């Protein structure tokens, strides 16, 4: 026997003639109206609990901070200040040291032309120095010139052919500007080994022939063999050739050796018109930049 079927309530049978809401939406609306006050009470209680918890936690934390944490922060700040290095001291360590200028000499080259020579040292282990300089003397000065000094190296810097009616006295080197370039360890790890490998030149078989009308030698002749003992070839390496008589330097000559290959020997034949010149030996000073990749011959 079939049970008695439940008769749908009026809400279930209601159909909105406008079609703006469904029967389900009508039920939800009725439920909300019946429980509105309860929902507001629950929401208010939740808000009160959240405020009590958050404000209470904040108040507790600030109480903890001012009673303990603040003093710990002061101790940490003081410890950090002691551990941080003195920036003035650090900058002093990394800043380039001044160039060191040694003896300054003037040599007569020909007639009324004079060569100025200063021995200069770059004491910095990782800085090249591009130097703009000039020489001044009683009654005049040279024009400005430029040269590059390698890290932790010493060599002459020269101005050739200054015209003067009299011998220039009280010569002085004026360094107008120095452009420093630091060679980082990521570029060259060991600067000393780098330079030793690339600036390896030796000289043998020196011979000096004095000018003589009797022998038909019109000017002094300085000869020697120059060896490129490095593993690198260079397009046009430049050198200063120091002329020495006994223990005294008597002059300087500028030398360019084109396409100087690795392991090659070049016979060098230099001439001088200086009167009464005597040379017992020479010293060769490389004066080019091995950090410049364009200086090297391409390997074929």
């Amino acid at each position: 026997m079939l049970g008695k079927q439940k008769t749908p309530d009026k809400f279930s049978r209601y159909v909105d003639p406008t079609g703006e809401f469904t029967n389900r939406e009508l039920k939800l609306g009725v439920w909300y109206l019946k429980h509105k006050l309860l929902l507001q009470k629950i929401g208010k209680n939740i808000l009160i609990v959240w405020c009590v918890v958050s404000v209470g936690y904040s108040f507790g934390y600030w109480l903890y901070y001012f009673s303990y944490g603040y003093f710990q922060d002061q101790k940490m700040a003081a410890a950090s200040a002691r551990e941080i290095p003195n920036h003035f001291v650090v900058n002093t360590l990394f800043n380039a040291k001044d160039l060191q200028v040694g003896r300054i000499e003037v040599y007569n080259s020909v007639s009324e032309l004079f060569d100025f020579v200063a021995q200069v040292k770059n004491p910095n282990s990782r800085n090249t120095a591009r130097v703009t300089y000039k020489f001044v003397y009683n009654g005049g000065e040279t024009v400005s010139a430029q040269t590059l000094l390698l890290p932790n190296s010493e060599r002459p810097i020269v101005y050739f052919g200054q015209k003067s009616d009299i011998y220039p006295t009280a010569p002085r080197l004026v360094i107008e500007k120095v452009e420093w370039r630091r060679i980082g360890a990521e570029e060259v790890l060991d600067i000393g080994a780098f330079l030793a490998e690339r600036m390896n030149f030796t000289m043998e078989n020196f011979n000096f022939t004095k000018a003589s009308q009797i022998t038909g030698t019109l000017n002094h002749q300085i000869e020697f063999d120059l060896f490129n003992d490095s593993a690198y070839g260079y397009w046009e390496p430049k050198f200063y050739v120091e002329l020495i008589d006994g223990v005294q330097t008597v002059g300087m000559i500028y030398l360019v050796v084109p396409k100087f290959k690795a392991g090659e020997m070049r016979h060098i034949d230099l001439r001088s018109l200086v009167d009464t010149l005597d040379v017992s030996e020479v010293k060769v000073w490389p004066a080019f930049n091995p950090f410049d990749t364009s200086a090297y011959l391409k390997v074929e």
Side-chain angles (χ1 to χ4, degrees):
M1 183 176 178
L2 296 174
K4 186 177 179 181
Q5 294 182 350
K6 186 176 179 180
T7 304
D9 56 26
K10 293 181 180 181
F11 282 117
S12 300
R13 289 181 287 124
Y14 177 77
V15 177
D16 178 30
T18 65
E20 293 182 0
F21 58 87
T22 64
N23 185 266
R24 174 178 172 77
E25 292 174 336
L26 178 61
K27 288 182 178 181
L28 291 174
V30 172
W31 183 89
Y32 172 73
L33 292 175
K34 288 180 178 181
H35 299 84
K36 181 178 180 180
L37 294 177
L38 178 60
L39 293 174
Q40 289 179 346
K41 186 176 181 180
I42 293 172
K44 186 184 296 182
N45 290 338
I46 292 173
L47 182 61
I48 291 172
V49 171
W50 183 83
C51 290
V52 170
V53 172
S54 61
V55 173
Y57 176 80
S58 299
F59 178 78
Y61 182 81
W62 283 111
L63 182 64
Y64 157 80
Y65 179 74
F66 285 116
S67 63
Y68 179 76
Y70 172 79
F71 301 101
Q72 291 298 110
D73 286 350
Q74 294 300 307
K75 291 180 181 179
M76 292 178 62
S80 298
R82 289 193 297 270
E83 293 174 1
I84 295 174
N86 186 309
H87 288 287
F88 176 79
V89 175
V90 173
N91 290 337
T92 302
L93 291 175
F94 282 96
N95 285 345
K97 301 175 185 177
D98 291 339
L99 300 175
Q100 300 171 0
V101 180
R103 71 179 192 277
I104 301 173
E105 303 287 350
V106 180
Y107 305 106
N108 185 210
S109 56
V110 289
S111 186
E112 298 176 347
L113 299 181
F114 296 87
D115 300 333
F116 289 76
V117 181
Q119 196 73 13
V120 181
K121 181 179 181 179
N122 175 8
N124 300 282
S125 60
R126 283 201 166 270
N127 291 82
T128 62
R130 183 166 295 280
V131 185
T132 302
Y133 66 95
K134 65 181 178 181
F135 290 90
V136 298
Y137 56 95
N138 287 342
E141 63 179 37
T142 69
V143 299
S144 297
Q146 273 196 349
T147 192
L148 184 83
L149 296 177
L150 301 177
N152 202 27
S153 64
E154 180 179 357
R155 70 166 175 82
I157 62 175
V158 187
Y159 186 88
F160 290 100
Q162 175 70 8
K163 187 173 183 180
S164 178
D165 295 333
I166 58 175
Y167 182 85
T169 58
R172 183 165 57 91
L173 174 67
V174 176
I175 297 177
E176 298 179 309
K177 182 172 66 172
V178 181
E179 299 173 59
W180 298 104
R181 178 177 178 266
R182 183 171 177 79
I183 309 297
E186 69 281 359
E187 295 180 73
V188 178
L189 184 60
D190 188 332
I191 296 284
F194 179 91
L195 294 178
E197 291 173 357
R198 289 161 174 78
M199 310 296 278
N200 189 7
F201 301 93
T202 56
M203 186 270 300
E204 293 180 2
N205 303 321
F206 164 77
N207 183 60
F208 174 70
T209 303
K210 197 173 181 64
S212 171
Q213 293 183 349
I214 297 175
T215 60
T217 307
L218 300 180
N219 43 46
H220 307 299
Q221 187 175 11
I222 302 106
E223 296 179 275
F224 57 90
D225 295 330
L226 183 63
F227 295 83
N228 180 0
D229 293 328
S230 76
Y232 303 88
Y234 301 95
W235 279 108
E236 288 187 329
K238 302 172 180 61
F239 303 87
Y240 290 137
V241 180
E242 182 179 0
L243 310 180
I244 303 170
D245 182 18
V247 295
Q248 182 181 5
T249 300
V250 293
M252 196 76 64
I253 297 179
Y254 184 65
L255 171 65
V256 179
V257 183
K259 294 186 178 180
F260 201 4
K261 298 179 181 179
E264 185 179 11
M265 183 275 287
R266 289 287 184 90
H267 182 71
I268 306 301
D269 185 348
L270 303 174
R271 304 302 171 102
S272 174
L273 298 175
V274 177
D275 294 336
T276 66
L277 180 68
D278 283 298
V279 181
S280 59
E281 61 177 308
V282 295
K283 185 173 182 179
V284 178
W285 300 87
F288 62 94
N289 182 11
F291 296 105
D292 183 2
T293 56
S294 66
Y296 295 88
L297 287 172
K298 293 181 180 179
V299 179
E300 297 179 357

